[in-house]
Amino acid sequence: MSESVACRCGRVKRTDVCSAIHSHRTSSIMPPPSDIVKVAIEWPGANAQLIEIDQKKPLASIIREVCDGWSLSGSEQFALRYADGPQLYITEQSRGEMKNGTILRLAISPMRAARQLLERIQSHGIDARLEALKELAKLSADPTFATEFINMEGLATLARLVESGTHFGEMLAFTLTAFLELMDHGIVSWDLISMSFIKQASYVNQPMVDVSILQRSLAILESMVLNSHSLYQRVAQEITVAQLIAHLQVSNQEIQTYAIALINALFLKTPEDRRQEMASTLAQKHLRGIILNHIIRGNRPVKAEMAHQLYVLQVLTFNLLEERMMTKMDPNDQTQRDIIFELRRIAFDGDSDPGGTEKRKAIYTKDYKMLGFTNPMNPAMDFTQTPPGMLALDNMLYLAKLHQDTYIRIVLENSSREDKHECPFGRCAIELTRMLCDILQVGELPNEGCNDYHPMFFTHERAWEEFFCVCIQLLNKTWKEMRATAEDFNKVMTVVREQITRALAMKPPSLEQLRVKLRSLSYSEILRLRQSERMSQDDFQSPPIIELRERIQPEILELIKQQRLNRLCEGSCFRKLGNRRRQEKFWFCRLSLNHKVLHYGDLDESPQGEVPFELLADKIPVSDMKAVLTGKDCPHMKEKSALKQNKEVLELAFSILYDPDEALNFVAPNKYEYCIWTDGLSALLGKELGSDLTRSDLDTLMSMEMKLRLLDLENITIPEAPPPVPKEPSTYNFTYNYG
């Protein structure tokens, strides 16, 4: 029908093309060969061509046939591009990504397009130059075009336009956008950038600059810092921290994000011996307070990219503790030993010096034992293990000086006990510091894609030390609640770790709120939570209960399977992997209601509701599916080496392998969607559901079902063996009168 309409009207609309492709694909009884791809190709002012591309034929001969169909000469001057999405050029290397039903466009070749745009950019007409820069900013995302444009000295031309200082407004914004896109391909080194370009492109320090120009300028400076040590030094000389912090006080969160990203880049590339100086400078400029008031407590929610940059800043700040964490105490260093003397003096007010060396030594040893050191004869030995090294001593001194009443109360409260239930302050403080370093991953580099920042760490200049002070009080409280002795030390630390991690997961907005959360997570509450999160093994190990579980489990698993398939029928939106700075692209996938076909297709934006099958041009018969791969086994994880280091992306990646030898690649938006889809696809293949979500759902539903079925047996002991069969009656001559 669509093809006949096209003949009468003279032109084919985009919807007609899609309809024609669909009818063309579904009309054949036999499936097409694996090396044949059915596509539509557009050319302005002409009818679209519906053709079958033989993937074994050279791309040049296919383009020649397409040109012949429209009577176009010079086929070597043309190329094929995708009509939708990023509109990338199709090359011999990328042609395998074409799918049935794809809409392509015949366009001039990348070399010809690069030459024409370069000529138009150098023209004298302002309007022509602006249009050329607009098109260049779009095409620069394509690696094939970028290579051609760079080979023609196009980057140098753009650099001269920026350095001239004669471009403003839209023209400058598109110039910077194209420059950044071209450089992001990694074809040429950032070290080639001149100092004059840096000075001119540093619109960070210029007042009243256009937002789009400022964004591009910040992004370019960030890339310079991250990709070149020499450029880092130049940018650090040209841009001041005060200029960047000023951009955090604006209302535009995009500008705030780019500004923090540049601060993080400078922080990361600063030599280790100067990072403390960098941190001091940021503190003097009130960076923490500005972030807290203008971003975290601002009028708009924190977006994912901003959350990631705050997480990076949090990690880099905590990593300043690594040096002290890995520094062993020198028992012969008098300065370091004086800190231990100060801890003793504050706790026991030992200003007077007892006479005699032996007497003083005995008194000191007794005091150090009451302070809870493992080696009271020489407490310096307690700080020779790394981690936590000297960081533990720093934390103890901070508590003793800044929270003196709390420190003295903890020490004296435990030193005066004689029932073996005293909490050893020194040993606890050292182990707690090690635990906190592990929980907050001190010394580890930030993970790409992680957004796990904690607002409370931005509420205090000494957030780490204050966090320790809160946690050491928690430890002392939990020790008393558990009535622990020295033999229970590891058990107490396990409970305290669980209390802290549970409280951190609630993301308290302040340290005071953290105290409230921790107070609610008492030892008895932890026991209750543990009980509610898992079934008691003691109550459910008798043979009758095990047999009942085995009978119920298949029903529960079938229920979970149906839920997963129903979710696949609703469909999900997935993000396309690409450069963080480019506009996000999406695609949608859903299962047909009869569970026989997976439909998928590209979207311009994330959908708000159900996406109809008509908008999903591509499909995969479930019968063609061969396997589901996850993590590092996925084809797109093997191809993109940069993603191999991205732990979060690896954990959310999965692929469908289907006939003949093709793959559909996914990166789930979160762990929940990952489990739903891998379970659902496994169910379609007749395999077991093995995700963490299935195990969790199975435990929850089994627990509910078991409790419901055993409700009438509450407080009744279930015997291990069935009751004995009673003896037979002596006679069977008995009746029952129903009257």
Side-chain angles (χ1 to χ4, degrees):
M1 178 64 69
S2 297
E3 293 182 18
S4 61
V5 170
C7 294
R8 291 196 301 269
C9 299
R11 292 192 65 183
V12 181
K13 296 181 181 179
R14 177 63 59 83
T15 54
D16 296 331
V17 170
C18 295
S19 178
I21 293 171
H22 179 72
S23 61
H24 187 51
R25 291 171 59 190
T26 56
S27 61
S28 302
I29 298 176
M30 297 295 293
S34 60
D35 52 0
I36 299 298
V37 181
K38 297 182 179 183
V39 300
I41 302 180
E42 299 177 335
W43 177 253
N47 295 335
Q49 296 186 38
L50 303 178
I51 69 170
E52 295 183 353
I53 293 181
D54 187 348
Q55 293 286 40
K56 293 181 179 179
K57 293 176 62 175
L59 193 58
S61 63
I62 295 172
I63 296 173
R64 188 182 307 113
E65 293 174 4
V66 173
C67 290
D68 292 342
W70 283 313
S71 301
L72 298 174
S73 59
S75 62
E76 66 278 358
Q77 298 292 321
F78 293 93
L80 293 176
R81 282 168 53 187
Y82 289 99
D84 298 316
Q87 301 182 11
L88 301 178
Y89 280 100
I90 295 172
T91 63
E92 289 288 356
Q93 292 74 30
S94 65
R95 62 186 296 180
E97 299 176 6
M98 283 190 297
K99 306 296 181 184
N100 285 328
T102 302
I103 301 177
L104 307 179
R105 177 177 298 152
L106 185 67
I108 59 175
S109 67
M111 181 182 293
R112 187 178 169 190
R115 185 181 299 110
Q116 289 183 2
L117 284 176
L118 196 56
E119 292 173 355
R120 289 164 58 191
I121 289 171
Q122 295 172 322
S123 67
H124 297 291
I126 295 179
D127 293 339
R129 189 182 301 176
L130 178 60
E131 290 302 317
L133 288 170
K134 281 184 181 180
E135 190 173 347
L136 176 64
K138 184 191 301 182
L139 281 177
S140 295
D142 184 278
T144 308
F145 171 84
T147 302
E148 297 292 346
F149 189 80
I150 290 172
N151 289 340
M152 295 177 185
E153 302 297 328
L155 268 176
T157 301
L158 294 181
R160 285 195 295 271
L161 291 177
V162 175
E163 292 170 7
S164 67
T166 57
H167 284 55
F168 304 97
E170 274 191 310
M171 192 171 292
L172 179 58
F174 286 123
T175 303
L176 294 175
T177 301
F179 183 87
L180 182 59
E181 292 283 4
L182 292 168
M183 291 299 298
D184 272 346
H185 292 294
I187 300 171
V188 296
S189 172
W190 281 90
D191 288 316
L192 300 176
I193 306 302
S194 65
M195 189 64 191
S196 59
F197 179 89
I198 298 175
K199 287 181 175 292
Q200 191 60 44
S202 301
Y203 293 95
V204 177
N205 50 17
Q206 297 185 15
M208 304 301 292
V209 67
D210 186 79
V211 170
S212 58
I213 295 174
L214 182 57
Q215 286 180 353
R216 296 298 93 190
S217 177
L218 288 167
I220 289 173
L221 292 172
E222 180 196 359
S223 293
M224 288 179 180
V225 171
L226 293 176
N227 290 285
S228 170
H229 179 69
S230 60
L231 287 182
Y232 152 72
Q233 294 176 321
R234 297 177 186 176
V235 173
Q237 293 172 0
E238 188 69 23
I239 305 298
T240 66
V241 171
Q243 293 166 348
L244 295 176
I245 291 179
H247 293 298
L248 299 179
Q249 303 177 56
V250 300
S251 58
N252 188 316
Q253 192 170 123
E254 295 296 324
I255 295 296
Q256 293 174 325
T257 303
Y258 280 110
I260 291 186
L262 182 51
I263 291 173
N264 286 337
L266 291 169
F267 206 158
L268 185 64
K269 290 298 180 178
T270 299
E272 291 187 11
D273 58 345
R274 291 178 51 202
R275 284 185 185 170
Q276 289 288 353
E277 179 184 342
M278 173 79 168
S280 299
T281 302
L282 295 175
Q284 291 171 6
K285 300 298 181 182
H286 309 293
L287 173 64
R288 179 199 58 77
I290 291 172
I291 290 176
L292 182 66
N293 296 322
H294 292 272
I295 298 175
I296 296 176
R297 296 177 179 172
N299 297 325
R300 59 186 60 81
V302 176
K303 296 181 180 178
E305 177 58 22
M306 172 62 82
H308 172 69
Q309 295 300 337
L310 293 176
Y311 155 78
V312 172
L313 182 60
Q314 172 185 294
V315 171
L316 295 176
T317 303
F318 282 147
N319 282 355
L320 296 173
L321 304 168
E322 183 181 13
E323 181 181 359
R324 295 291 285 175
M325 180 183 74
M326 301 307 295
T327 300
K328 296 180 180 180
M329 185 172 187
D330 182 3
N332 299 318
D333 188 326
Q334 188 59 42
T335 304
Q336 296 178 1
R337 293 176 65 86
D338 286 344
I339 300 177
I340 300 179
F341 294 155
E342 183 69 5
L343 291 175
R344 174 197 165 277
R345 186 196 65 77
I346 295 174
F348 303 111
D349 195 24
D351 290 326
S352 58
D353 188 14
T357 303
E358 291 299 324
K359 185 177 180 180
R360 183 169 60 249
K361 184 176 180 180
I363 293 175
Y364 283 4
T365 300
K366 179 183 176 183
D367 290 348
Y368 290 144
K369 184 177 182 180
M370 287 192 292
L371 277 171
F373 287 110
T374 306
N375 298 280
M377 294 290 292
N378 186 7
M381 299 302 296
D382 286 21
F383 302 96
T384 55
Q385 184 178 358
T386 58
M390 291 294 291
L391 184 60
L393 188 58
D394 295 342
N395 286 341
M396 295 165 70
L397 184 63
Y398 181 89
L399 174 69
K401 286 192 170 183
L402 275 296
H403 299 274
Q404 194 170 114
D405 292 343
T406 300
Y407 168 69
I408 294 174
R409 177 178 57 80
I410 291 175
V411 172
L412 296 184
E413 186 178 88
N414 290 283
S415 63
S416 60
R417 302 185 67 159
E418 296 182 357
D419 55 2
K420 296 184 180 181
H421 289 288
E422 65 274 4
C423 177
F425 169 74
R427 183 184 177 191
C428 288
I430 293 170
E431 186 59 33
L432 177 63
T433 302
R434 181 187 292 110
M435 179 197 298
L436 297 183
C437 289
D438 183 52
I439 292 174
L440 297 177
Q441 299 179 328
V442 175
E444 297 186 17
L445 288 176
N447 291 325
E448 179 66 26
C450 183
N451 304 332
D452 189 24
Y453 82 98
H454 296 279
M456 68 177 184
F457 290 131
F458 292 87
T459 62
H460 200 284
E461 292 294 347
R462 304 291 295 273
W464 165 265
E465 291 86 350
E466 290 293 324
F467 183 45
F468 169 83
C469 294
V470 172
C471 293
I472 194 67
Q473 294 176 70
L474 167 74
L475 196 159
N476 187 60
K477 172 175 171 287
T478 303
W479 186 284
K480 290 187 291 186
E481 290 175 348
M482 296 177 66
R483 292 193 54 78
T485 62
E487 290 76 16
D488 302 317
F489 183 85
N490 291 333
K491 182 180 178 181
V492 174
M493 296 308 297
T494 301
V495 174
V496 170
R497 185 185 185 100
E498 185 173 347
Q499 290 171 314
I500 294 172
T501 52
R502 286 181 181 274
L504 287 177
M506 301 177 193
K507 295 294 178 72
S510 66
L511 289 164
E512 187 55 41
Q513 283 296 313
L514 174 68
R515 293 178 189 272
V516 174
K517 302 291 185 187
L518 291 174
R519 276 199 295 269
S520 66
L521 290 169
S522 62
Y523 175 56
S524 59
E525 178 66 10
I526 291 295
L527 292 179
R528 189 192 68 78
L529 289 171
R530 288 177 176 178
Q531 181 72 14
S532 65
E533 289 173 358
R534 69 172 185 267
M535 294 170 58
S536 172
Q537 296 299 317
D538 295 335
D539 295 339
F540 290 89
Q541 288 301 314
S542 62
I545 299 298
I546 294 174
E547 183 180 350
L548 179 60
R549 284 177 59 86
E550 291 174 350
R551 290 186 179 185
I552 294 174
Q553 185 164 320
E555 301 175 14
I556 302 297
L557 286 174
E558 182 62 26
L559 181 65
I560 295 173
K561 174 184 172 183
Q562 292 302 319
Q563 188 271 341
R564 300 294 192 262
L565 293 175
N566 290 339
R567 278 286 290 108
L568 263 61
C569 291
E570 295 175 9
S572 297
C573 182
F574 300 92
R575 179 174 57 87
K576 287 192 172 183
L577 291 178
N579 192 311
R580 178 189 297 278
R581 300 189 189 92
R582 296 174 188 151
Q583 184 178 0
E584 283 195 321
K585 300 295 181 181
F586 303 91
W587 66 286
F588 196 89
C589 186
R590 62 181 297 196
L591 178 66
S592 63
L593 299 180
N594 60 6
H595 299 174
K596 292 185 177 181
V597 181
L598 279 172
H599 297 263
Y600 65 97
D602 292 339
L603 300 176
D604 292 331
E605 57 184 17
S606 181
Q608 300 301 317
E610 183 177 294
V611 177
F613 290 110
E614 293 76 15
L615 296 182
L616 306 176
D618 300 309
K619 63 181 181 180
I620 299 174
V622 172
S623 58
D624 289 349
M625 290 170 48
K626 296 189 293 187
V628 177
L629 302 179
T630 59
K632 294 181 180 180
D633 296 329
C634 298
H636 55 322
M637 293 296 101
K638 294 178 180 178
E639 294 172 4
K640 298 179 180 292
S641 59
L643 295 177
K644 290 184 179 179
Q645 307 302 322
N646 191 333
K647 182 179 178 182
E648 184 166 324
V649 172
L650 280 174
E651 290 177 349
L652 300 178
F654 61 97
S655 299
I656 300 174
L657 297 186
Y658 61 98
D659 288 332
D661 288 308
E662 299 189 61
L664 182 62
N665 302 316
F666 300 73
V667 175
N670 50 56
K671 189 67 175 179
Y672 176 79
E673 289 292 334
Y674 171 85
C675 294
I676 289 289
W677 275 84
T678 52
D679 281 344
L681 294 172
S682 297
L684 291 174
L685 292 172
K687 297 183 178 180
E688 292 185 0
L689 282 59
S691 73
D692 295 339
L693 183 62
T694 292
R695 287 190 287 272
S696 174
D697 288 350
L698 180 62
D699 288 343
T700 302
L701 294 174
M702 284 290 292
S703 175
M704 293 172 59
E705 186 67 17
M706 292 288 289
K707 288 176 180 177
L708 286 172
R709 296 201 182 195
L710 299 175
L711 197 59
D712 293 337
L713 299 178
E714 189 173 356
N715 298 324
I716 296 177
T717 303
I718 300 174
E720 293 291 326
V725 178
K727 295 181 179 180
E728 293 186 18
S730 57
T731 67
Y732 290 90
N733 299 327
F734 54 85
T735 60
Y736 186 80
N737 186 358
Y738 289 95

